[in-house]
Amino acid sequence: MEIIMAFVCGFLFMAAIYLILSRSLLRIIIGTGLLSHGAHLLIITMGGFGGNNPPVLADGVTEYVDPLPQALILTAIVISFGVTAFFLVLAYRSYQELKTDDMTQMKGSEDHE
């Protein structure tokens, strides 16, 4: 199962880098979202799959799964949601002002003040 997840993480990273290197601002935002999802999946995979073991220690349980990767992923999901929402608002506002989402047209020129 870990091999399949490693390939899925690799595919997510590959697609994210491809989208981040494009000119469209919306594709860049989608790429950052994919990159964060790939990182979340990588951390969960490296944390190990516990099978049927509980994530916390209870009475009579001798084997349990480490809950730290799950807690880190939960925090990272909330942070990436906030960053993505901020990027979307920033892209919407820049589209309102400049009427384009092409990064080459957004950078302007030297004589423009």
Side-chain angles (χ1 to χ4, degrees):
M1 187 69 177
E2 284 86 4
I3 298 296
I4 295 171
M5 290 300 160
F7 281 119
V8 170
C9 288
F11 179 76
L12 284 174
F13 285 137
M14 176 196 64
I17 296 299
Y18 175 76
L19 289 173
I20 287 173
L21 292 176
S22 67
R23 292 183 180 174
S24 174
L25 194 58
L26 189 59
R27 284 185 177 197
I28 293 171
I29 294 170
I30 293 171
T32 57
L34 279 179
L35 188 68
S36 68
H37 288 314
H40 299 158
L41 190 61
L42 181 68
I43 292 172
I44 272 295
T45 304
M46 293 300 113
F49 299 114
N52 294 330
N53 297 334
V56 293
L57 188 59
D59 293 333
V61 175
T62 57
E63 295 181 10
Y64 60 94
V65 178
D66 186 20
L68 185 63
Q70 297 171 9
L72 286 173
I73 295 303
L74 214 61
T75 305
I77 287 171
V78 171
I79 291 171
S80 67
F81 177 73
V83 168
T84 303
F86 174 70
F87 282 164
L88 284 172
V89 169
L90 194 64
Y92 178 70
R93 183 70 180 141
S94 67
Y95 184 77
Q96 278 184 336
E97 289 292 321
L98 303 172
K99 304 292 187 228
T100 184
D101 70 338
D102 191 4
M103 293 300 288
T104 56
Q105 294 175 356
M106 290 173 111
K107 70 179 178 181
S109 62
E110 293 178 4
D111 53 331
H112 185 267
E113 293 182 18

